[in-house]
Amino acid sequence: MQIDFKKEILLEKKISDPDVVSVLFHEKKQVILRALMYEEKNIMDLRRELKMNPGTIKRHLDDLRAKKLVTEPHVVINKYGIKEKYYRAMARRFIVHLEWP
Amino acid sequence: MNKKGSKKQSYIHEALVDIRLSWRLYKSNFKVFLGAQIISILVFLFLTYPWEFSLSFYFNIELDRNYTFYQIRSLIGMFLILIFFGSSFGLSYDIMSGGDQFTELRGFFHYFREYWWQYILLSLLLLLGTFICSLIVGLFTVYEVFDPTSQGFYIILYLVLYNVMIRIFMYLWVSVLIENFPSLNYQGGIKNAFYENWQILRLNSKRIFSSLFLFFMIFDFPWIVLDILEISMRFIAIEKGWMWYLNFYESYSQIMFPFFKFLAQTVFCFLLAIPMLTLISTRIYNSLKLVNNKKDE
């Protein structure tokens, strides 16, 4: 699925699902999410920036995508014929609403 | 510059981009290729190479000389190597077409399971080139029209025919068939892969031949030079009477030099040449597919 990246990123997103919150508060996922808040990046960009294993980044991104914290990748085929997937955070800020019990 | 000249320059430029880009992707995925190729090397050395015989020679161990067992084992090893060769193309496909420009070792086993018999078939087809050429060269060397007493002539014949002609033939053979592998990974069917390989070759033969030529010059030519140098040195030493060289060569290095050369060639081939070949051919396939798709649009 291709996404139109010209549309503005959400300024904030409210989260109340505890499952999503647990993903959001994972330390490494937060680092990745923060890196994707102002610019769309591919895994190789993230690897260079965060000095993390690309496989680890991929798994974290999959989790973040599953919880709708990161958008579906923007797919481009560059001039060298290589497919590239660019990821971006769903919003610039996440607001957590939790009530218990 | 005329149109023909600029086209030629573009082929050279594309070939250089192929090498540079593949090298960059190879470096960033080095660990995965290393893991995959170490598995291949181990299978190659332990299943296809009769290492027990070498050990029994050095350590005086009595072996049960059941050759059928070794032959079956070598055959299994050979088939595994052929599948591993094809699976390396799967890794390159993941890198170039997966979208994330990286791959993982489990991908190697995924492609192994998915396309094992297709890889055997295609790799056997590639090997058939070496077999045909060895047969032709072998027939030439035993042809009795040459003077059998002329040692120098045979050395030159060996140099020219074996080391150069076999490589040229292999270069042409590989260039003609190589796009089958990326096409198989892309389409999933061997029939379609053959058809697409033929189509790509028919429309873009110069592009494939120029990139593969560069590949062979970088990754194969140094070994040809080494082979020629080794044989020439022996020939010159015989002619000039350099006993120190002949003594050294015939004693210590008689066993060690060919062994280390074989080891170096194996490691170089598996760790560098095969991954680079898979990346280059996948890049060629992707870029040509892109061009052809654009033409269709």
Side-chain angles (χ1 to χ4, degrees):
Chain A
M1 190 178 97
Q2 295 220 354
I3 286 177
D4 180 15
F5 271 77
K6 282 174 188 159
K7 72 178 180 187
E8 281 294 311
I9 184 171
L10 292 172
L11 286 179
E12 55 183 46
K13 185 177 176 175
K14 287 178 184 157
I15 298 164
S16 53
D17 183 350
D19 284 347
V20 182
V21 174
S22 67
V23 171
L24 182 68
F25 278 81
H26 186 281
E27 195 188 337
K28 284 193 173 159
K29 288 185 178 66
Q30 278 185 353
V31 173
I32 293 168
L33 203 58
R34 199 181 288 275
L36 296 173
M37 276 181 180
Y38 292 93
E39 207 182 339
E40 56 173 7
K41 285 171 187 163
N42 61 28
I43 289 185
M44 285 297 127
D45 294 334
L46 289 169
R47 177 200 188 177
R48 272 189 291 274
E49 191 180 319
L50 308 175
K51 307 269 183 291
M52 281 166 75
N53 183 298
T56 312
I57 297 172
K58 172 93 174 122
R59 272 182 278 282
H60 286 312
L61 277 174
D62 288 342
D63 290 345
L64 290 166
R65 272 171 58 200
K67 302 295 177 199
K68 303 241 186 301
L69 295 170
V70 163
T71 58
E72 283 299 306
H74 167 210
V75 181
V76 289
I77 294 175
N78 69 15
K79 61 177 178 173
Y80 300 116
I82 299 174
K83 199 191 219 182
E84 288 183 309
K85 283 181 185 169
Y86 284 90
Y87 302 87
R88 199 192 60 177
M90 213 43 140
R92 294 238 165 94
R93 178 196 281 201
F94 294 93
I95 298 166
V96 179
H97 277 289
L98 275 185
E99 279 180 34
W100 191 86
Chain B
M1 194 185 287
N2 60 18
K3 209 175 168 184
K4 214 174 174 182
S6 71
K7 249 189 169 178
K8 194 177 170 188
Q9 212 173 35
S10 119
Y11 292 132
I12 296 165
H13 171 75
E14 280 297 310
L16 286 170
V17 172
D18 283 340
I19 300 282
R20 270 205 301 262
L21 196 73
S22 301
W23 176 243
R24 186 168 68 76
L25 291 171
Y26 170 72
K27 275 196 299 180
S28 60
N29 289 280
F30 174 71
K31 279 183 194 166
V32 180
F33 279 119
L34 182 73
Q37 300 308 327
I38 281 178
I39 295 168
S40 306
I41 291 173
L42 290 178
V43 166
F44 179 67
L45 291 178
F46 284 99
L47 290 184
T48 56
Y49 189 77
W51 50 273
E52 296 98 326
F53 293 115
S54 308
L55 282 182
S56 70
F57 178 75
Y58 284 112
F59 297 105
N60 244 345
I61 305 165
E62 276 296 311
L63 270 180
D64 173 24
R65 305 212 174 235
N66 182 359
Y67 288 104
T68 321
F69 166 75
Y70 297 112
Q71 278 165 346
I72 292 169
R73 195 187 69 185
S74 296
L75 199 70
I76 293 168
M78 201 63 217
F79 279 128
L80 283 173
I81 290 293
L82 296 181
I83 307 171
F84 288 155
F85 177 69
S87 303
S88 303
F89 280 88
L91 293 181
S92 295
Y93 173 77
D94 278 350
I95 295 167
M96 298 237 175
S97 309
D100 294 322
Q101 289 182 53
F102 88 98
T103 184
E104 289 178 289
L105 195 57
R106 62 179 169 181
F108 189 66
F109 301 107
H110 163 78
Y111 286 101
F112 184 100
R113 275 197 309 272
E114 194 84 8
Y115 300 117
W116 63 272
W117 68 266
Q118 288 100 324
Y119 287 149
I120 290 178
L121 213 69
L122 290 177
S123 306
L124 275 177
L125 208 61
L126 271 190
L127 279 184
L128 193 69
T130 326
F131 178 71
I132 293 169
C133 198
S134 305
L135 203 71
I136 296 165
V137 175
L139 282 177
F140 266 114
T141 48
V142 296
Y143 198 50
E144 286 196 48
V145 75
F146 303 123
D147 179 7
T149 55
S150 170
Q151 192 71 20
F153 178 78
Y154 271 105
I155 290 169
I156 292 162
L157 190 75
Y158 177 79
L159 285 175
V160 175
L161 280 180
Y162 194 78
N163 281 299
V164 179
M165 270 183 69
I166 205 166
R167 254 63 175 238
I168 292 172
F169 186 83
M170 270 315 286
Y171 152 66
L172 295 171
W173 189 264
V174 169
S175 303
V176 166
L177 294 169
I178 200 73
E179 290 307 315
N180 274 311
F181 288 93
S183 180
L184 172 69
N185 291 325
Y186 186 84
Q187 308 204 58
I190 198 159
K191 234 175 168 180
N192 289 339
F194 278 123
Y195 176 74
E196 204 174 48
N197 177 60
W198 168 243
Q199 288 293 326
I200 289 174
L201 191 71
R202 197 168 58 85
L203 297 169
N204 304 284
S205 53
K206 280 181 191 166
R207 165 91 168 78
I208 296 170
F209 282 118
S210 54
S211 290
L212 269 279
F213 177 75
L214 206 60
F215 169 82
F216 271 80
M217 287 308 281
I218 295 170
F219 295 99
D220 200 29
F221 189 69
W223 295 108
I224 305 177
V225 173
L226 194 72
D227 281 347
I228 292 175
L229 220 62
E230 186 200 338
I231 300 158
S232 306
M233 278 298 284
R234 251 194 295 176
F235 181 60
I236 292 165
I238 293 166
E239 290 281 301
K240 302 264 181 188
W242 293 344
M243 291 313 289
W244 59 271
Y245 180 83
L246 292 173
N247 284 341
F248 173 77
Y249 197 89
E250 293 301 323
S251 58
Y252 174 71
S253 60
Q254 195 176 20
I255 300 165
M256 297 314 283
F257 182 73
F259 173 72
F260 281 118
K261 201 181 111 193
F262 169 75
L263 202 67
Q265 265 178 324
T266 306
V267 171
F268 179 85
C269 173
F270 278 102
L271 288 192
L272 192 63
I274 289 178
M276 281 297 284
L277 177 67
T278 63
L279 284 165
I280 289 167
S281 58
T282 308
R283 142 89 180 139
I284 295 172
Y285 177 82
N286 279 13
S287 60
L288 293 180
K289 187 110 181 130
L290 195 72
V291 171
N292 291 340
N293 285 349
K294 274 183 186 166
K295 272 182 195 167
D296 293 342
E297 284 166 16

